[in-house]
Amino acid sequence: MAERQKSMDVHIAIGHKYPKVKINTSYSFGIDDQEFVVAFEGDAPMEFVDLVMELRDTQASKYTVRDTPAFTCVARPLPETLKDLG
């Protein structure tokens, strides 16, 4: 448990280096047998890319079994989106 916490502490410290990227972590018991799901929010895509690249170089990332693709979008009200769809 102590070694695991050290690895996560490194991830947390790296996340703090990118304050413009909001990180949302949720436990996902029963969702495709993953331990947790992480979602990111921010207005600077390059900061997000830099954060992810730095996280991938950590010891904890060596235990990642599967990395899923990142999807990006612009957050906006649903009525605006529906209007644009016609």
Side-chain angles (χ1 to χ4, degrees):
M1 185 67 177
E3 286 299 313
R4 180 184 172 124
Q5 188 60 54
K6 284 182 194 177
S7 292
M8 294 315 299
D9 288 346
V10 170
H11 264 235
I12 293 166
I14 290 171
H16 286 301
K17 291 171 53 178
Y18 300 89
K20 292 181 182 177
V21 180
K22 182 178 179 182
I23 304 171
N24 303 291
T25 304
S26 176
Y27 289 103
S28 62
F29 178 77
I31 302 176
D32 201 25
D33 293 329
Q34 302 303 309
E35 187 173 355
F36 56 89
V37 175
V38 181
F40 300 89
E41 294 178 54
D43 294 323
M46 286 310 299
E47 284 192 25
F48 167 70
V49 170
D50 291 344
L51 167 62
V52 171
M53 294 307 292
E54 191 168 346
L55 288 174
R56 285 184 175 160
D57 285 337
T58 64
Q59 181 68 25
S61 290
K62 293 178 182 179
Y63 296 97
T64 300
V65 175
R66 180 180 54 213
D67 196 0
T68 57
F71 298 95
T72 60
C73 65
V74 175
R76 50 192 267 188
L78 182 58
E80 286 181 27
T81 304
L82 293 174
K83 181 181 173 190
D84 285 350
L85 291 173

